[in-house]
Amino acid sequence: VAAQNSRKRKLNAILNLEEDVYNLQIQKESLKKEHSQCSRSIGRMKQKLNNLYRDIFSRLRDDQGKPVNSCQYVIHCSNDGSVFIIPKHLVKSEQKQGNEKEQKQK
């Protein structure tokens, strides 16, 4: 009887593990689909952002009426909703300072 109960417990454990494996496989497939959808969505958003960026820079003019060079400037949006055009070399130095502050806080 003890051996029979042991075999029964072992069989139940195996069946539970097989069910867990099946459920995890279903979950894995679901997560793969979700990841794929998110990746496509991110790609579409990046494309829209690039189009918007190009459109904005195509309309911008400097004080002399010449087009603003998108290679030299970036669009910066502040927390209060203000939008600025900033030279790239200033942004890079600000990012370095921000990264140094974050590392110090850690």
Side-chain angles (χ1 to χ4, degrees):
V1 174
Q4 188 177 6
N5 287 341
S6 177
R7 284 190 296 272
K8 192 179 215 180
R9 282 193 304 273
K10 188 174 184 177
L11 183 59
N12 283 338
I14 291 171
L15 291 173
N16 287 336
L17 289 172
E18 286 174 344
E19 185 178 340
D20 289 346
V21 168
Y22 176 76
N23 289 334
L24 288 171
Q25 287 172 336
I26 290 173
Q27 185 180 9
K28 179 182 175 183
E29 290 302 315
S30 175
L31 290 172
K32 280 183 177 180
K33 287 179 185 177
E34 184 179 350
H35 180 268
S36 177
Q37 289 171 344
C38 289
S39 294
R40 284 193 301 272
S41 180
I42 288 171
R44 285 190 300 268
M45 283 188 235
K46 283 182 179 180
Q47 185 61 44
K48 286 181 181 180
L49 183 61
N50 286 334
N51 291 343
L52 179 61
Y53 199 81
R54 272 190 257 115
D55 185 47
I56 289 171
F57 270 102
S58 71
R59 297 167 190 244
L60 287 176
R61 301 286 182 251
D62 63 11
D63 295 338
Q64 290 82 30
K66 296 177 185 175
V68 175
N69 188 346
S70 63
C71 295
Q72 296 174 348
Y73 294 91
V74 294
I75 298 171
H76 177 75
C77 302
S78 63
N79 292 338
D80 66 358
S82 302
V83 179
F84 302 98
I85 306 300
I86 302 175
K88 281 189 177 181
H89 69 275
L90 292 179
V91 174
K92 289 179 183 177
S93 63
E94 287 178 14
Q95 287 175 344
K96 287 179 186 176
Q97 291 172 355
N99 290 341
E100 289 173 3
K101 288 179 184 177
E102 288 178 15
Q103 290 175 355
K104 287 180 183 178
Q105 290 175 352
K106 290 179 184 180

